[in-house]
Amino acid sequence: MQRVAVPGMPSTFSRDGLAVLCFAVLALALASAGVMLGPVPLGFGEVLGALSGHAETRSQVIVLEIRAPRVVLGAAIGAGLALSGTALQGVLRNPLADPGLIGVTAGGALGAVAAIVVGSHVAELLPEAARSWLLPLAAFFGAGAATGFVFAVSRRDGTTHTATLILAGVAVNSIAGAVIGLLIYVSDDRQLRDLTFWTMGGLGGADWRMVALAVPCIGVATVGLMRLTRALDLLQLGERAAWYSGLEVGHVKTAVGLWSALAVGAGTAVAGPIGFIGLVAPHIARLCVGPGHRMVVPAAALTGSALLLGADLTVRLIVPPAEPPVGLATSLIGGPFFLWLLLTRMRRDA
Amino acid sequence: MLEAHDIHLRRNRRDVLSGVSLSLRPGELVSLIGPNGAGKSSLFAVLAGELPPDGGKVTLDGQPVRKIGASRLATLRAALEQSPSLSSPFTVAGLVALGMASVSRAAIDCAGVAAAAMSAAGVAELASRPVDLLSGGERARAHLARTLAQLYAGRAIGGGRYLLLDEPTASLDLSHQIGLMSAARSEADRGPGVLVVIHDLNLAAAFSDRIAIIRDGGPVALGTPGTVLTPGLLSEVYGSAISVERSPAGTLRITPDLERMGSGGRAGPVCLHPGKSQAPVPSSDGNRRLHNS
């Protein structure tokens, strides 16, 4: 699977293009399944009818108000997490980088929890229209602050020291965890209930308002990260050689940090922290399309969508009508995967 | 001309470079030599535009090098860092393609540039092999091909004027060291100025137009191999007896004078050049200390 996009070699493109197409088909299939399956199974015809407005009210409501926003949100959040994982792994030249591990998700979670607990006191002071933006904004700033912090402390002589960054991420995770614990301690019963469900992660409460909040943010971040594919390739040479080769390394790192924080912050704000998609999706993508980011980035985004949609479908169908949080499912799959990754790397480096 | 003038550089509260000047003219090959820790790689980074010096200035064809953006700079000069690495399993062809990143693909004949660079570096037959599975020497040449592709791509749009190589021969066997230096020489003969940081004095002597010697961050000598590579100067700089012979054809042969070192009982710099004051050697320069003890 050692392929790379070489200028003037269209055959490479079409083969990897086919792999990307397969990921797209898989994501689309899971999205369709997400709309059709559930406590009330719907046929394809019913779904089409509901989408075009010619179905009975019940299936209309199920499709348009419950399942469609959930699927759209799941696809977008999965893609956002996967893209930010791809970009962070690319910048840090370390396959263990993941927005969850280096503290981006924890920063976003801290922002969101602070918005839930402290924000309820502040919300009355805000105009009505601004209130729904409080949580996503807080999540974005939390994620951004965590990203900025880990990059800043691991910077030496203008280059980022990856091992330090990952350890700084561990520190951010534990600090954010402690502050979240403190906020939970001081929160009242209602806030506590909100917090518990939000922290476990889930798409259960998805509605079009959430879609309107998260999808544009993730969309902007996606466009931003898609433009960095060549930069991510160059960074595989190391920051110094990448700069020699003409890359404004500082700008790229800032952009990756910003877009990752936006994508992860938006996803975290509406669905809680969802782990490991950002770790697993880029690996699957690289296994299928090789190391060139021009193909890895779209493939990873689609894989992330498929993974989150698959995980969401699993938690919905496993013990209906109960719904375990989707974050539990992704961590159950992602945790062992991470261990496997560590062990194979250790064996290779030994 | 790529010109460093009176460069001073401090890092970690230590003078790494003090008052070094070096110019690289188009079409010439200059070797930068000196003992470990002399500041060669720092001077390399300053010339490449990567490190801003604390004093002095670096200009590329009259323009301050720090004022040229990374992207345009990459089309004007190609630089190969010491011990290059690659974190992803790109093929050699993929690695070489990275060298052309600063030039728009539509503006040049990418396939032609890549092929020329790979054949000049002697890795044409490795094009489809993953870099991480190559031997150390093959990998070093693949990175040279990447750097040559950067030079050629720059030249195709009117740049590609300087080639900077930091210890490119470090992981190569003898014949590939010679092959690399011949490649660098033929690049210089085609127009660009080439700077090579190198430890092998014989290779430097055989292929260079001029040789610059620095020690402890300061300039020692700059000139043609014949004028610079003298037994006295080299013995002083390296702190061990070194003899220089000139063959009838004019080639210089530089060898450590083991006999003299043996009889003199480890001739150190102290007994070799009593006139020169021995500055206290900084702690990071442990090699020379060990040598003296």
Side-chain angles (χ1 to χ4, degrees), chain B residues 24-272:
Chain B
L24 184 61
R25 292 188 279 262
E28 72 169 349
L29 192 154
V30 175
S31 287
L32 178 59
I33 65 174
N36 288 334
K40 300 186 296 295
S41 287
S42 300
L43 181 56
F44 181 92
V46 168
L47 273 167
E50 180 196 2
L51 286 182
D54 297 306
K57 59 177 181 179
V58 185
T59 54
L60 190 150
D61 296 336
Q63 251 186 307
V65 83
R66 295 284 299 174
K67 295 268 166 64
I68 310 172
S71 172
R72 210 174 89 75
L73 194 56
T75 65
L76 296 172
R77 62 100 184 92
L80 178 59
E81 75 280 12
Q82 197 177 350
S83 5
S85 69
L86 181 69
S87 309
S88 287
F90 283 104
T91 59
V92 172
L95 174 64
V96 170
L98 294 182
M100 299 181 278
S102 56
V103 176
S104 142
R105 281 184 184 155
I108 56 166
D109 167 22
C110 284
V113 166
M118 284 191 282
S119 88
V123 291
E125 72 283 4
L126 303 176
S128 58
R129 297 261 301 275
V131 175
D132 55 336
L133 299 182
L134 300 179
S135 75
E138 290 171 328
R139 213 175 297 164
R141 285 182 285 137
H143 280 281
L144 175 71
R146 187 246 302 167
T147 312
L148 289 176
Q150 186 183 343
L151 185 75
Y152 298 167
R155 186 187 302 158
I157 59 163
R161 294 179 210 155
Y162 302 96
L163 175 64
L164 314 176
L165 306 170
D166 192 359
E167 295 198 25
T169 57
S171 54
L172 299 179
D173 64 31
L174 194 57
S175 78
H176 281 118
Q177 290 186 16
I178 294 168
L180 185 135
M181 286 304 280
S182 325
R185 177 74 254 173
S186 56
E187 287 312 320
D189 292 340
R190 288 159 68 181
V194 180
L195 178 82
V196 182
V197 178
I198 192 165
H199 275 297
D200 190 309
L201 301 177
N202 287 296
L203 285 173
F207 289 98
S208 312
D209 296 306
R210 290 190 299 148
I211 290 182
I213 308 182
I214 61 172
R215 184 184 58 178
D216 292 340
V220 175
L222 176 62
T224 59
T227 57
V228 169
L229 300 177
T230 61
L233 190 65
L234 290 177
S235 300
E236 183 193 321
V237 166
Y238 286 96
S240 50
I242 291 171
S243 68
V244 179
E245 290 167 44
R246 188 183 288 271
S247 78
T251 326
L252 296 176
R253 208 171 69 199
I254 298 121
T255 42
D257 197 342
L258 295 173
E259 272 176 28
R260 199 172 142 203
M261 287 170 74
S263 67
R266 295 197 167 187
V270 179
C271 55
L272 275 168

Side-chain angles (χ1 to χ4, degrees), chain A residues 2-16 233 289 291-295, chain B residues 89-100 105 109-115 118 126-129 149:
Chain A
Q2 317 289 1
R3 273 178 261 126
V4 70
V6 179
M9 285 182 73
S11 67
T12 322
F13 177 87
S14 54
R15 206 165 38 175
D16 293 342
D233 280 347
V289 300
H293 281 92
R294 194 162 59 108
M295 286 295 147
Chain B
F90 283 104
T91 59
V92 172
L95 174 64
V96 170
L98 294 182
M100 299 181 278
R105 281 184 184 155
D109 167 22
C110 284
V113 166
M118 284 191 282
L126 303 176
S128 58
R129 297 261 301 275

